[in-house]
Amino acid sequence: MPTEIDLDTATTRLTGVARRTPVLRSRLLDEALGAEIHLKAEHLQHTGAFKFRGAFNAIAALEHDVRERGILTYSSGNHAQAVARAAQIFQVPATVVMPNDAPTSKRQATESYGATIVTYDRYTEQREGVARAILAARPLTLIPPFDHPDVIAGQSTCARELFEDSGPLDQLIVSVGGGGLISGSALAAHRVNPKCRIVGVEPETGNDVQLSLQQGRIVEIDVPDTIADGQQTTSPGQHTFAVMQQHVDEIVTVSDDQILDAVDYLFRFQKQVVEPSGACGLAAILASKVKLTGSRVGVIISGGNISPERFSELMKPRWQT
Ligand SMILES: *Cc1c(COP(=O)(O)O)cnc(C)c1O
């Protein structure tokens, strides 16, 4: 588990590097929900998601010689772009293992930061196996998407900023995939307000963390079918599970349709373009999945990477009258 020193070190490393993203407020939203809602606009972070924080911190933590030899990761989404950009800042090579059917836009974004992409067939090969084979042949360091103390410490800086800017909050609501963001958020929040309620939000079909916390052991599920592609994880990690067992109060789930309500709300009323996983936290409160009355609530809008084609495909059915 990251220590308080690890969290402070991550803050120092990321100051002036990560964007201090704004906190969005809405009087109408507060009135509708009977609570004070503070939306941390992390879709405006470098590379379009909070993942830049964890990736940069984990790469910064490496010994100089180790970092110079290069970084390896596996992800088709926001973590790939985050690692590619962070490695570019350090001027070290990055290799990203991605399925051969990953969306072209994600591939191009990762390549645009100078990373080398190695593809595999996700129906016949395991990405961990592909990564292991590369590590056996080349002296690269693997930076996983969530299950790493320095990744968790990096993600903690987002909630830390939110508490600095908005004051101590009573509840914090966070999208959950493998649990890196919520683990870091909870550690940061509980340093300021040990009573802050930490609520995680998963897509209905991908509730691996909810099941794991209920059963007190790491539960593995099949790859979930959901529009929330930042949360298609199949199980929490060892590190994230340990932190979540201690620090997370509740995991709630939302349907794809409820997620789209939140994406729609953010576009219409906040003028923000957010990807489905980025809107999960807000989806949970709009769908009354969390008791809010009278509380001061932080919600992390975790990412905004969505292509215009995908955005219009998802929104068109609801915007046609
Ligand atoms: C990765 C990601 C998540 C989930 O984060 P974890 O650290 O895996 O729990 C949520 N939202 C977005 C936009 C993401 O990219």
Side-chain angles (χ1 to χ4, degrees):
M1 215 181 274
T3 63
E4 298 210 347
I5 293 172
D6 295 333
L7 303 186
D8 290 340
T9 306
T11 304
T12 308
R13 288 190 186 121
L14 285 162
T15 302
V17 179
R19 282 199 185 118
R20 192 175 187 103
T21 53
V23 180
L24 309 177
R25 300 290 317 276
S26 158
R27 192 175 48 82
L28 288 176
L29 185 63
D30 288 2
E31 278 172 10
L33 296 172
E36 242 185 63
I37 311 296
H38 299 251
L39 303 172
K40 176 72 167 162
E42 200 60 13
H43 60 297
L44 303 176
Q45 187 51 259
H46 293 304
T47 72
F50 71 90
K51 292 239 174 36
F52 177 75
R53 297 174 184 267
F56 185 91
N57 186 53
I59 294 174
L62 300 174
E63 298 276 357
H64 181 267
D65 295 358
V66 172
R67 185 165 57 231
E68 291 287 301
R69 282 182 229 133
I71 310 300
L72 177 70
T73 196
Y74 44 78
S75 159
S76 54
N78 291 335
H79 180 66
Q81 293 176 52
V83 165
R85 177 60 187 137
Q88 185 181 47
I89 292 172
F90 283 105
Q91 298 185 295
V92 300
T95 302
V96 178
V97 177
M98 239 184 222
N100 51 17
D101 58 351
T104 320
S105 59
K106 304 230 156 161
R107 215 186 137 137
Q108 280 171 347
T110 307
E111 277 171 331
S112 77
Y113 299 119
T116 305
I117 297 190
V118 174
T119 56
Y120 71 102
D121 180 351
R122 64 166 151 173
Y123 300 99
T124 59
E125 294 173 281
Q126 285 263 314
R127 63 184 192 176
E128 290 82 0
V130 177
R132 257 198 310 277
I134 295 172
L135 288 177
R138 296 168 57 195
L140 307 178
T141 302
L142 178 69
I143 307 287
F146 50 84
D147 202 24
H148 189 298
D150 293 320
V151 172
I152 295 170
Q155 317 309 26
S156 79
T157 60
C158 174
R160 181 178 177 134
E161 289 173 7
L162 177 57
F163 272 69
E164 283 171 5
D165 293 344
S166 291
L169 299 164
D170 306 314
Q171 296 201 64
L172 191 57
I173 309 198
V174 184
S175 306
V176 173
L181 179 61
I182 198 172
S183 294
S185 302
L187 291 170
H190 284 162
R191 285 176 84 178
V192 184
N193 176 12
K195 291 209 180 109
C196 182
R197 263 193 104 239
I198 311 292
V199 180
V201 185
E202 288 188 305
E204 259 168 16
T205 52
N207 66 337
D208 51 303
V209 171
Q210 186 184 53
L211 293 173
S212 298
L213 290 175
Q214 280 167 358
Q215 297 180 24
R217 62 180 182 97
I218 292 179
V219 172
E220 177 121 22
I221 62 168
D222 289 335
V223 177
D225 182 13
T226 169
I227 58 168
D229 56 15
Q231 294 157 282
Q232 284 180 306
T233 49
T234 56
S235 68
Q238 310 274 351
H239 296 97
T240 56
F241 183 63
V243 178
M244 291 190 290
Q245 272 194 308
Q246 266 194 36
H247 288 273
V248 170
D249 293 280
E250 188 186 9
I251 302 279
V252 300
T253 61
V254 287
S255 67
D256 280 2
D257 216 45
Q258 288 166 337
I259 294 173
L260 289 178
D261 287 341
V263 173
D264 192 353
Y265 167 86
L266 286 164
F267 182 79
R268 231 176 251 272
F269 298 106
Q270 298 281 349
K271 320 303 167 205
Q272 304 298 315
V273 175
V274 170
E275 65 182 278
S277 285
C280 253
L282 182 62
I285 62 177
L286 292 180
S288 309
K289 296 282 176 123
V290 186
K291 196 163 166 289
L292 297 176
T293 328
S295 64
R296 303 183 70 250
V297 183
V299 179
I300 300 179
I301 306 296
S302 53
N305 289 322
I306 185 164
S307 67
E309 296 77 19
R310 181 67 175 148
F311 195 81
S312 60
E313 181 188 24
L314 290 174
M315 286 298 135
K316 212 169 174 185
R318 12 182 90 223
W319 291 348
Q320 273 168 344
T321 44

